[in-house]
Amino acid sequence: MKEMPKVGIRPVIDARLGGIRESLEKSTMDMALRVAQLVSSNVKYFNGENVECIVADNTIGRVPEAQKCEEKFLKEGVGLSITVTPCWCYGTETIDMNPTRPKAIWGFNGTERPGAVYLAAALAGHAQKGLPAFSIYGREVQERDDETIPDDVKESILQFVRSGIAVATLKGKSYLSIGSVSMGIAGSIVNEVFFQKYLGMRNEYVDMSEINRRLQKGIYDKQEFKKALVWTKENCKEGENRNPEKLVKSRKKMDEEWETVVKMTIIARDLMIGNPKLKDMGYGEEALGHNALAAGFQGQRQWNDYMPNGDFLEAILNSSFDWNGIRSPYIMATENDSLNGVSMLFGYLLTNQAQMFSDVRTFWSASSVERVTGYQLQGKSSDGIIHLINSGSSTLDGTGQQTQNGKPVMKPYWEIKEEEVKKCLNATDWPPAMYEYFGGGGYSSHFVTKGEMPVTLCRINLVDGLGPVIQIVEGWTVELPEDVHKILDNRTDPTWPTTWFVPRLDKEKVAFKDVYSVMANWGANHAAFSYGHYGNDIITLCSMLRIPVNMHNIPNEKVFRPKDWASFGMDIESSDFRACKNYGPLYK
């Protein structure tokens, strides 16, 4: 993996010497340093380290100084930039001209030599040159000697940085396709144009026979396997076997399947990121891995019909812990649904939290629930619920057993405590797979997500003639009485993990007038979600990549896109489509 991308801070200044520039040098550089401190103190990479900022060596007043800054940024691995100024400067002479680097400008809102005037001039230059940039402009006028960063400016800077870091992190990484298309699911038809031109990512491919080869030839760390198997037996309790008697397997065969799924997990991780221990075993090429930030496992059906399914490997890799302790999750998509894998990846890079992979399975109206169970939905659930469920691969973080201030949450791995890991494991059991679906056996994770967690769902879809679009829904998990849950859950596959979800409704938006409309407008059978309401960050991220948003319930005041988008009309959704089409993918 390459080094983490850095945030470049560009202090620009009025270039007129003879008193003007000299009087502004300190205040301009101090402004840059304050922004760097704000960013490094509030944003972390997915590995838990504070985001690093690179400040230009000098203030930037003319083109030679802008180029000197650019050379430093390229050398230091800067992935996004923030230009700051308290004063008027020479517009197009001082802007960031890098065509694929997300960029923003904060122009100080003051009345003496106002940076806001430069902001307007520079943004006009960006628009004219086809280099979209974000405008950061404080609502209130500040005094010339005011060194505070207003709260609204802080919010815009941090939202820009969170999204820009995600964009920069994607660049140069790989999506690893383990297998090919699963059961005709469109998302598992890996579209290289999308990955390369919109995300700047490589595509890597491994046939599922490679997993079998490594199983048969023992190409995995034997010591780690022993450790992993002991941990699995101690922490992953086997659930109820719901298979009919005629299909039940011997205890010996089921134990062999446990060993196989543990080995598969180690092998899939090694395929993604490599493992230096394989080199010591004489497998130097295998030790390299595929530089994969995300991957997908086809499974169904060519694998699952005769081998244990991928549910365990997907669930454990997607979790923030395993036999090696608490660690960052690995993004692994079920059924090689690469589009849902990317949706998970967006959420992961924006929140640093594990991501749930779920089927958007069933809308249950209040009347349907009452008819089937006799129970009347209440509170947030009163307008109906959506059943999110998947074939056992969802992250164990999704149990909701991690807590903050006594409430269920999902945390970045560095905030998770050992006792919370135990609670997640204790809340999960692993029923044998239903053999009529999964002839090769295996074990599926099974739990029910705790209620009252704010969560954000998203999903990328590809539309012929249009390209990628994304859907975003903020809402909450909810809990049902246990007997009601069981009645509803038993109508599908009760060996899989369940989340009951309700979206935040908005009568002004057609797709959010009721819960049914959200379900009816969802674009595919899968979705990704995690803890918190961060749909605004996804919108910002997608504007950087030129992916329009075709469905969301985010308040308009939280939508933050490049200033150029305002040139494409006053309706913020239709202008998003026009702007994305006009500029094209980031890496075209």
Side-chain angles (χ1 to χ4, degrees), residues 301-426:
R301 288 188 44 211
Q302 286 83 349
W303 180 271
N304 295 350
D305 279 359
Y306 84 107
M307 289 290 290
N309 63 25
D311 290 4
F312 183 82
L313 84 83
E314 294 162 11
I316 294 298
L317 290 179
N318 280 319
S319 298
S320 299
F321 47 83
D322 61 17
W323 41 84
N324 291 318
I326 300 170
R327 43 96 178 137
S328 57
Y330 304 94
I331 301 301
M332 176 65 71
T334 300
E335 295 160 344
N336 195 29
D337 184 347
S338 62
L339 296 180
N340 216 55
V342 171
S343 303
M344 296 168 73
L345 196 50
F346 282 6
Y348 173 46
L349 294 177
L350 290 170
T351 67
N352 298 321
Q353 298 163 178
Q355 300 291 304
M356 288 280 281
F357 183 116
S358 287
D359 287 0
V360 184
R361 183 58 68 99
T362 308
F363 163 68
W364 280 96
S365 68
S367 58
S368 292
V369 171
E370 189 169 11
R371 173 178 57 82
V372 171
T373 69
Y375 176 75
Q376 190 171 33
L377 293 174
Q378 302 171 6
K380 287 188 176 73
S381 307
S382 58
D383 290 326
I385 53 179
I386 295 175
H387 193 182
L388 303 176
I389 187 171
N390 188 39
S391 55
S393 66
S394 291
T395 171
L396 272 59
D397 299 56
T399 56
Q401 295 295 322
Q402 300 161 20
T403 58
Q404 191 171 59
N405 299 323
K407 297 180 179 180
V409 298
M410 295 168 68
K411 298 179 179 179
Y413 80 90
W414 57 86
E415 295 180 4
I416 298 173
K417 301 173 182 177
E418 288 290 350
E419 56 265 32
E420 292 174 323
V421 172
K422 286 292 185 183
K423 288 179 180 179
C424 291
L425 290 163
N426 290 337

Side-chain angles (χ1 to χ4, degrees), residues 38 70 88 100-101 120 136 155 195 209 227 234 259 266 277 285 299 313 332 342 388 431 436 474 516 519 521 551 584:
L38 171 71
E70 176 63 14
W88 164 255
T100 60
R101 178 186 295 143
I136 300 175
E155 185 177 342
F195 276 92
S209 63
K227 176 182 178 181
E234 290 178 351
E259 294 184 8
I266 295 170
K277 296 209 172 163
E285 187 176 354
L313 84 83
M332 176 65 71
V342 171
L388 303 176
E436 60 183 351
E474 292 184 344
Y516 171 81
M519 178 75 179
N521 281 279
M551 174 181 169

Side-chain angles (χ1 to χ4, degrees), residues 103-116:
K103 49 189 69 67
I105 303 173
W106 174 29
F108 184 81
N109 186 4
T111 55
E112 301 89 356
R113 302 196 185 96

Side-chain angles (χ1 to χ4, degrees), residues 146-162:
D146 187 350
E147 296 186 350
T148 62
I149 303 177
D151 288 343
D152 60 335
V153 172
K154 286 181 181 178
E155 185 177 342
S156 294
I157 289 172
L158 296 177
Q159 185 168 334
F160 169 78
V161 170
R162 287 191 297 266

Side-chain angles (χ1 to χ4, degrees), residues 430-493:
W430 300 83
M434 300 301 291
Y435 302 142
E436 60 183 351
Y437 297 128
F438 304 108
Y443 298 88
S444 298
S445 60
H446 170 248
F447 58 79
V448 183
T449 301
K450 295 279 286 184
E452 298 303 316
M453 286 201 300
V455 295
T456 301
L457 274 69
C458 72
R459 165 72 190 190
I460 292 175
N461 294 297
L462 293 178
V463 180
D464 184 42
L466 176 61
V469 294
I470 192 165
Q471 299 173 288
I472 305 165
V473 181
E474 292 184 344
W476 298 268
T477 64
V478 294
E479 288 186 45
L480 302 177
E482 186 175 358
D483 58 333
V484 176
H485 160 75
K486 286 184 176 180
I487 292 171
L488 301 183
D489 203 39
N490 282 334
R491 293 174 69 102
T492 178
D493 193 323

Side-chain angles (χ1 to χ4, degrees), residues 26-86:
K26 185 177 187 306
S27 60
T28 302
M29 187 57 76
D30 285 350
M31 189 177 178
L33 295 174
R34 289 195 298 273
V35 170
Q37 176 63 29
L38 171 71
V39 170
S40 293
S41 299
N42 289 277
V43 187
K44 292 181 182 292
Y45 299 114
F46 68 82
N47 64 3
E49 297 177 0
N50 293 331
V51 164
E52 184 178 351
C53 292
I54 302 296
V55 180
D57 293 330
N58 309 101
T59 56
I60 301 166
R62 299 295 301 269
V63 169
E65 292 160 325
Q67 184 57 30
K68 182 181 177 182
C69 172
E70 176 63 14
E71 290 168 0
K72 179 176 183 176
F73 282 6
L74 291 174
K75 182 179 179 180
E76 296 286 351
V78 166
L80 60 152
S81 73
I82 304 174
T83 297
V84 303
T85 187

